[in-house]
Amino acid sequence: MDLFVSILTLVGVAALIVGLIWLIVNLVRKKPLRVPGIVSAAGALLVIVGSLAITAIEQQQVNATEDTTYSAESSASSESKSSDSKVYGLNEQYKNDMYGLKITQADQNFDDHGMSLVNGDIPTLKVSQQNGIQITVDYENIDSSEGFLPSIWNFKVYDDDGKTGEIINQQEGQDEVSKGHIGTTHFWVNLQKPYADTKYIEIEYGDIQFKINLNH
C-alpha cells in the first residue's frame, strides 16, 4: 500500500510538471490549452491525493507505535504491581533495593524469653498459653548506609478470620545491622482465638504481605 501511494504521488508530480511545461509552451505558441490544462490538473490532484494518503499512513504508524509503547508500559506496570502484591510464605524472603525480610517461625515453640512471658505476672506483657504465638524474622541490610532493624510496631498480624492480633511490647534481638549483614529478631502476639483453632496468620510489614500456615 505504501509503495502504491508513493508511485501514485510520483506519477502525479510527473504529470503536473509535464502539464505545466506543455501549458507554458502552448501559451507561447498560442495553441489550445485545454489538454495540457487537464494533464496539469490531473497531476495536481494525484499529488494532493498521494500526500493525504501518505499523511494518513504516517499517522497510523505513529498510532501503532504509541499503542505498542503503551501496551509495553502497561505490561511492565502490571508485572510491577503483580510483584508488589506477592504474598510470601514461611522462609520466603522479600527483597527490595534496600533491605530483605523473611519469616522463619510462627508457632508456639517459645524460646526462654518467650516462656518467661508466658509464665509472667505482668498482664500487659503476658503471652497467652492458648492464643500466644512467637514470630521470628530474619532481616537483611542490602544497600542502606544506615543500620537496619525492623520495629515490631511496623508489623500487623491477623488470624484466619481477619482479626488483629495483639503484639506484646517485647522484642528480642534489637541489633541494627550494617550493609551486607543479616540479623534475627523475635516478637510475640496474642491471637483473638486459640492457636490450635487457627489455620494460618497474615503478617504485614508496610506493603509487604506474608501468609503463614500454622502447624499444629
Side-chain angles (χ1 to χ4, degrees), residues 73-87:
E73 290 176 348
S74 297
S75 177
S77 176
S78 296
E79 289 178 1
S80 176
K81 290 180 180 177
S82 176
S83 177
D84 290 343
S85 62
K86 178 179 178 180
V87 178

Side-chain angles (χ1 to χ4, degrees), residues 39-97:
V39 172
S40 299
L45 181 60
L46 288 176
V47 171
I48 293 172
V49 171
S51 298
L52 291 175
I54 290 173
T55 301
I57 291 171
E58 289 177 346
Q59 185 60 46
Q60 288 177 351
Q61 291 174 341
V62 169
N63 291 340
T65 301
E66 289 177 349
D67 290 343
T68 301
T69 302
Y70 177 76
S71 177
E73 290 176 348
S74 297
S75 177
S77 176
S78 296
E79 289 178 1
S80 176
K81 290 180 180 177
S82 176
S83 177
D84 290 343
S85 62
K86 178 179 178 180
V87 178
Y88 297 83
L90 189 69
N91 292 315
E92 292 183 351
Q93 185 176 34
Y94 164 84
K95 277 188 176 182
N96 60 26
D97 294 337

Side-chain angles (χ1 to χ4, degrees), residues 152-204:
I152 61 172
W153 305 118
N154 289 330
F155 288 94
K156 290 183 176 63
V157 180
Y158 305 91
D159 65 20
D160 52 8
D161 292 326
K163 294 181 179 180
T164 306
E166 177 194 2
I167 295 177
I168 303 301
N169 187 15
Q170 289 286 294
Q171 182 173 4
E172 181 185 16
Q174 300 187 46
D175 297 320
E176 292 188 348
V177 295
S178 57
K179 180 179 176 180
H181 295 94
I182 299 172
T184 300
T185 190
H186 312 273
F187 65 97
W188 296 266
V189 179
N190 285 329
L191 302 175
Q192 294 288 328
K193 63 181 182 179
Y195 171 84
D197 297 334
T198 307
K199 296 179 181 178
Y200 63 85
I201 60 170
E202 295 176 332
I203 302 173
E204 295 180 353

Side-chain angles (χ1 to χ4, degrees), residues 109-120 134 172 186 188:
N109 294 321
F110 301 113
D111 63 9
D112 290 343
H113 189 72
M115 286 304 302
S116 71
L117 297 174
V118 172
N119 298 322
Q134 178 172 304
E172 181 185 16
H186 312 273
W188 296 266

